[in-house]
Amino acid sequence: MRQARTFDFCIGPYRFHARVFSTFLIALAWLALLGLGTWQVERLQWKLGLIAERHQRSEAAAIAAPASGADMNDLEFRRVRLTGHFLNDKEMYLAARSLNGNIGYHVVTPFMGEDGTTTLVDRGWIPLDRKDPATRAQGEISGTVTIEGLIRSPGRKSWVVPDNEPDKNFWFFVDIPAMAAHAGLSDLRDYFVEAGPEKNPGGYPIGGQSHIDLPNNHLSYVITWYSLALALVVIYLIYHRVKP
């Protein structure tokens, strides 16, 4: 029977005796753990940069509303200023929206600009019992107004999100073509705007519902992978240490 190859080494006053093959496998595992930790460091830097960019854009001076077809990579979360009037009779409702643990809706209202172009505006949150516009009549702003908000891309529907129900004016995600058809509008911009935190008459809707920050757990992942790499080395040394 062939004997397993072994080798000896010392670290300071301690001597160790290990097998070559098992050491090779442990070294591969250790390198994999280091690689995962380093990858998470890179992901952490990327996420922090993305969050910083969002804050910079959202806090910069408002720009005029760009035309449809512009590059959303350059416009997402940019502050924009719109002047015109709300089409309150065509408002729509995004379901399953919460504020401080309370379930409600977001009110999405077409906003007719002075140039005749319409933009969907997510005006903010309302509780379930304020869905009827009559219960928040003061917030149904009429006449020409100037508003500010953040440009948002409709994005894509996630598989966990239910389908919209346009026939019931019940929406789970922004679908601009479907919303345009529902509201009978033909000239909607291909992005929507989330209204800023300015208070509406009567208190509703409550604007400023944009989520600027992103979930960022990468630091904990960095600590986990590097800790496992360190633990693997410690276990290896303890197991192979030659007792005096």
Side-chain angles (χ1 to χ4, degrees):
M1 183 176 181
R2 189 172 65 179
Q3 188 175 6
R5 294 183 178 181
T6 61
F7 66 99
D8 294 328
F9 64 96
C10 295
I11 299 178
Y14 303 104
R15 188 164 64 89
F16 302 88
H17 181 77
R19 293 183 177 182
V20 172
F21 183 69
S22 61
T23 299
F24 173 73
L25 293 179
I26 289 173
L28 288 180
W30 181 73
L31 289 173
L33 292 171
L34 286 182
L36 289 169
T38 302
W39 175 59
Q40 287 300 327
V41 169
E42 294 172 353
R43 294 282 294 174
L44 173 63
Q45 296 302 318
W46 168 78
K47 186 65 71 65
L48 291 175
L50 189 59
I51 293 172
E53 182 181 50
R54 286 187 172 193
H55 277 280
Q56 183 181 26
R57 290 183 177 187
S58 65
E59 294 165 8
I63 62 173
S68 293
D71 186 356
M72 289 303 299
N73 291 325
D74 296 331
L75 293 175
E76 190 85 24
F77 289 98
R78 283 295 302 269
R79 184 169 297 279
V80 66
R81 179 181 294 108
L82 301 171
T83 298
H85 62 277
F86 285 107
L87 305 180
N88 292 308
D89 60 327
K90 299 181 183 298
E91 69 179 23
M92 291 162 274
Y93 310 99
L94 291 173
R97 297 313 196 259
S98 64
L99 179 64
N100 299 326
N102 300 305
I103 299 298
Y105 303 94
H106 277 196
V107 176
V108 177
T109 308
F111 188 88
M112 179 71 74
E114 292 181 318
D115 61 355
T117 304
T118 307
T119 307
L120 290 181
V121 176
D122 182 343
R123 299 190 61 204
W125 183 86
I126 57 170
L128 295 175
D129 60 358
R130 295 297 185 106
K131 184 179 179 183
D132 184 351
T135 63
R136 45 185 169 81
Q138 286 181 280
E140 297 289 276
I141 302 172
S142 61
T144 300
V145 295
T146 296
I147 63 170
E148 290 190 1
L150 304 184
I151 295 175
R152 297 302 313 277
S153 170
R156 296 181 180 179
K157 175 185 177 297
S158 168
W159 67 271
V160 299
V161 176
D163 291 331
N164 289 326
E165 300 179 26
D167 56 322
K168 298 179 181 179
N169 194 12
F170 200 74
W171 310 82
F172 291 97
F173 60 96
V174 175
D175 182 339
I176 290 179
M179 288 179 159
H182 172 81
L185 299 170
S186 59
D187 191 21
L188 275 177
R189 285 190 171 96
D190 60 0
Y191 57 85
F192 70 102
V193 172
E194 289 178 332
E198 293 76 15
K199 187 175 181 180
N200 286 305
Y204 293 109
I206 299 176
Q209 301 304 312
S210 299
H211 296 290
I212 304 297
D213 292 324
L214 293 166
N216 188 6
N217 300 316
H218 297 293
L219 179 58
S220 64
Y221 298 150
V222 169
I223 294 172
T224 298
W225 291 123
Y226 283 157
S227 296
L228 288 173
L230 177 61
L232 183 61
V233 171
V234 171
I235 293 171
Y236 173 82
L237 294 176
I238 292 174
Y239 182 78
H240 293 95
R241 181 184 173 189
V242 177
K243 296 182 180 179

